[in-house]
Amino acid sequence: NAGVTQTPKFRVLKTGQSMTLLCAQDMNHEYMYWYRQDPGMGLRLIHYSVGEGTTAKGEVPDGYNVSRLKKQNFLLGLESAAPSQTSVYFCASSYSTGGFAYGYTFGSGTRLTVV
Amino acid sequence: GQSLEQPSEVTAVEGAIVQINCTYQTSGFYGLSWYQQHDGGAPTFLSYNALDGLEETGRFSSFLSRSDSYGYLLLQELQMKDSASYFCAVSDNYGQNFVFGPGTRLSVLP
């Protein structure tokens, strides 16, 4: 099993450019998440999804959009990149028990630099 | 509001036992998880506590006291490979997602 796969692994963008980060999981998990991690800090939730066709905002959603058209995929879009979005982005998925997330499986991360 | 507190750094020697504490203040509570992250790597899941008490998984144990809004991760028989950052995470929002603490950097010395 591949687990959670993120593409690309590295990317450099110019301010104002757009891009989409792709996340795919093969564990049949209902819940999927996008977090960002800045140097020396914890992870902050951007958006999440509790099922196909559903999305919700997390702690830091501004400047990002997401889509979950298929259960196994969760896409994160940056419409107009800003230097403040330079970060490492982690996708995660979780199975749920009684509607509760249990524990996350993370992808390997996307290191994004906006210049 | 939501807040989680952990010590920023902990240092211990190989073979020792170390405890990493986590206190939290959240609007709801459905569980406490711990994750390990090596430099440049992704976080990996270590443990999950939904009820009070101690959960043991090999050299690692995790404890939860919901009445005290407190938990800890206990690492025994420390090895050099345990040098990493450790994050506690609390599940709120009806248990749908986790809020992460700032992380504790553990350095294991020979």
Side-chain angles (χ1 to χ4, degrees):
Chain A
N1 283 346
V4 178
T5 303
Q6 290 184 234
T7 53
K9 296 191 184 307
F10 303 92
R11 185 73 185 269
V12 179
L13 283 181
K14 293 182 179 179
T15 298
Q17 286 186 318
S18 63
M19 78 164 293
T20 300
L21 282 67
L22 310 179
C23 179
Q25 54 98 1
D26 62 1
M27 296 170 288
N28 201 35
H29 285 171
E30 286 293 332
Y31 293 2
M32 295 188 74
Y33 309 85
W34 279 105
Y35 283 83
R36 62 175 287 174
Q37 184 175 34
D38 298 310
M41 297 181 66
L43 294 98
R44 292 183 293 169
L45 182 63
I46 304 171
H47 287 279
Y48 66 101
S49 168
V50 298
E52 181 178 318
T54 72
T55 62
K57 294 180 180 179
E59 181 186 1
V60 288
D62 293 343
Y64 306 95
N65 56 75
V66 288
S67 65
R68 183 117 182 253
L69 300 180
K70 293 183 178 180
K71 184 177 182 178
Q72 63 267 35
N73 297 333
F74 196 29
L75 279 60
L76 178 71
L78 285 74
E79 292 186 345
S80 180
S84 61
Q85 294 178 304
T86 294
S87 189
V88 179
Y89 291 84
F90 287 103
C91 175
S93 70
S94 173
Y95 72 87
S96 64
T97 302
F100 300 149
Y102 176 74
Y104 291 172
T105 299
F106 281 90
S108 58
T110 296
R111 284 153 180 78
L112 175 66
T113 302
V114 183
V115 297
Chain B
Q2 304 164 336
S3 68
L4 287 82
E5 293 188 3
Q6 304 178 233
S8 58
E9 295 183 9
V10 173
T11 301
V13 297
E14 252 186 316
I17 299 172
V18 71
Q19 179 174 312
I20 299 174
N21 298 323
C22 174
T23 58
Y24 58 88
Q25 191 171 13
T26 57
S27 54
F29 180 85
Y30 296 86
L32 176 69
S33 284
W34 288 92
Y35 292 81
Q36 178 191 63
Q37 185 180 32
H38 288 99
D39 287 346
T44 57
F45 173 78
L46 293 177
S47 68
Y48 174 74
N49 295 66
L51 303 175
D52 292 350
L54 190 68
E55 295 280 345
E56 298 181 65
T57 307
R59 294 188 297 114
F60 294 0
S61 302
S62 57
F63 173 82
L64 173 65
S65 169
R66 288 174 295 171
S67 61
D68 295 323
S69 298
Y70 164 75
Y72 66 73
L73 180 69
L74 190 72
L75 297 82
Q76 300 178 314
E77 301 173 15
L78 281 174
Q79 302 175 8
M80 298 294 290
K81 67 178 181 179
D82 297 330
S83 292
S85 292
Y86 292 83
F87 295 90
C88 62
V90 168
S91 173
D92 67 351
N93 188 28
Y94 305 103
Q96 292 183 347
N97 57 258
F98 285 83
V99 176
F100 282 76
T104 298
R105 187 171 186 88
L106 171 64
S107 298
V108 181
L109 305 178

